[in-house]
Amino acid sequence: MSINIADPMAEAANLGAKLRAALRLDDVDFSDVDPPSVLGFSALDGLVKVNPATLKALLGVSAFIQTLLNDADQATALTTLGAQPINVLLTALAALTTANGKIIKATGLNTVAMMDVIGTVAYLGGVAGALYEEGSYANGTYIRLACNLQICHYLDATGQSTDTVAGPLFQSAAAMTWSFPAPFASAAVFAINSPNALARWGQKAAPTATAVNFRQLGVSNNATLVPQHCFAIGPWR
Amino acid sequence: MIITLIPQRRDTTLVVSRAGDTLLINGEEFDFSVIPDGASLPGRAVPCAMIEDLSIIDRIDGVLHLSLYLPLGANPPPEARFPAPIVNPPDGPIDLPVTHIEPEAGNA
């Protein structure tokens, strides 16, 4: 393409016409001519004198975004958008991947991590595993809490009799050893057996960290095997 | 010999093999031939973490009865949580239930 440098203004108008055709600006209504210097090319008459309202409409700028375009500063723009300023904690939260059965825990100032609600409980100067752990075995169920409490329960469906003289009362001939489904930290554990019958109650020998011996006591010599609930509660770490 | 397995949440493992009345439990040998027929031995007499102090080892009609803890880690399968007794295992390593299932990849 040659440029007629003898008449730069005519050449500019010529280029402007070509540009108009390329941009299909002839379809735009330029009748409402705005400040000719809006783009700093007042010499290119006709190309730059675009009606701002028409241009916004052409670009698909919504009425809402137009209210953002004239915001003076970031704070005003954030308010217009209803957005929160950049925040270290929010950024850390945004980096997490959530999953079913998990919750978010703080691991320090502005640091977060996902953790299991149910899973293996661990405590290493802080909650290092799940919030609580549970298990159901042949010898009962247990729930272990991160706060250092553990509860074991077992329904002894076989039960025990009270057919052996024990002073003025009667007791089970042999002890029933209940091994806890999960061990405690020490023998400092509260254990109790509760028979499912009137005039029967439980008695125990000193437990270990892992088991306890139960017998039943009764007011009468009774060979009936009475099922019983067994509980043990204590610290696990 | 009848071995009752007692499941218990522990971070240890159990490896047992038999040679007659002797059991090799986690590398330590325990000879139960000293228990005569009709007699019993308190568990606390056996210095083994896998035998409960309060349990009783006895020989009834010539058959040795004892119980061993089956240590369970996280996510044990049902056959470990409700283990069947081991009756007259042959000499050599004793088959124990699998006590831990590796979580599926990507599920950790």
Side-chain angles (χ1 to χ4, degrees):
Chain A
M1 182 164 63
S2 64
I3 297 177
N4 182 358
I5 55 170
D7 187 355
M9 294 305 286
E11 186 61 26
N14 182 35
L15 281 173
K18 286 179 178 173
L19 205 49
R20 281 166 58 106
L23 294 174
R24 299 186 180 180
L25 290 177
D26 288 332
D27 297 337
V28 181
D29 175 15
F30 293 116
S31 59
D32 181 13
V33 175
D34 234 24
S37 61
V38 65
L39 294 178
F41 293 104
S42 58
L44 299 183
D45 193 30
L47 174 63
V48 295
K49 290 177 182 174
V50 179
N51 180 347
T54 309
L55 184 58
K56 287 170 190 168
L58 188 70
L59 294 174
V61 178
S62 71
F64 169 71
I65 287 298
Q66 289 177 35
T67 66
L68 178 68
L69 290 176
N70 64 2
D71 281 347
D73 51 29
Q74 186 192 41
T76 313
L78 286 173
T79 304
T80 301
L81 288 172
Q84 196 135 9
I86 286 180
N87 175 285
V88 178
L89 178 57
L90 290 178
T91 304
L93 284 170
L96 293 178
T97 303
T98 60
N100 188 17
K102 288 183 181 283
I103 56 173
I104 299 167
K105 72 165 175 179
T107 55
L109 179 64
N110 291 333
T111 58
V112 288
M114 302 305 299
M115 72 177 289
D116 290 320
V117 175
I118 308 173
T120 304
V121 170
Y123 196 91
L124 301 166
V127 176
L131 269 189
Y132 71 91
E133 177 179 335
E134 60 180 5
S136 184
Y137 305 160
N139 48 334
T141 58
Y142 75 94
I143 179 167
R144 178 175 277 190
L145 306 178
C147 68
N148 198 16
L149 181 72
Q150 179 175 286
I151 303 170
C152 295
H153 169 253
Y154 172 55
L155 173 58
D156 170 26
T158 304
Q160 290 181 292
S161 61
T162 54
D163 51 5
T164 300
V165 174
L169 298 169
F170 298 88
Q171 69 173 3
S172 315
M176 189 274 284
T177 300
W178 177 38
S179 284
F180 309 132
F184 291 90
S186 72
V189 47
F190 170 74
I192 189 169
N193 57 324
S194 176
N196 281 340
L198 291 171
R200 287 274 183 111
W201 58 98
Q203 60 167 336
K204 64 165 186 293
T208 68
T210 47
V212 64
N213 276 345
F214 285 142
R215 286 176 205 247
Q216 290 183 14
L217 270 178
V219 293
S220 60
N221 186 335
N222 193 330
T224 305
L225 296 169
V226 172
Q228 56 190 343
H229 284 279
C230 308
F231 277 98
I233 301 170
W236 62 270
R237 60 174 158 83
Chain B
M1 179 182 287
I2 297 176
I3 302 173
T4 304
L5 295 173
I6 306 170
Q8 192 167 69
R9 174 72 176 92
R10 294 186 182 203
D11 289 324
T12 53
T13 52
L14 175 66
V15 179
V16 192
S17 61
R18 177 187 183 184
D21 269 354
T22 298
L23 287 180
L24 190 67
I25 303 171
N26 286 351
E28 272 194 274
E29 220 173 73
F30 299 95
D31 183 3
F32 297 104
S33 64
V34 294
I35 303 174
D37 197 22
S40 62
L41 185 70
R44 69 174 62 87
V46 185
C48 175
M50 293 300 158
I51 294 177
E52 170 55 44
D53 281 358
L54 300 182
S55 72
I56 291 168
I57 303 157
D58 47 17
R59 195 184 298 277
I60 305 166
D61 298 331
V63 179
L64 189 72
H65 292 70
L66 80 157
S67 52
L68 290 176
Y69 277 119
L70 180 66
L72 300 187
N75 200 21
E79 52 276 22
R81 295 187 289 118
F82 297 85
I86 298 171
V87 180
N88 292 328
D91 279 356
I94 294 178
D95 275 343
L96 296 170
V98 174
T99 56
H100 178 70
I101 301 172
E102 288 298 331
E104 288 172 29
N107 202 20

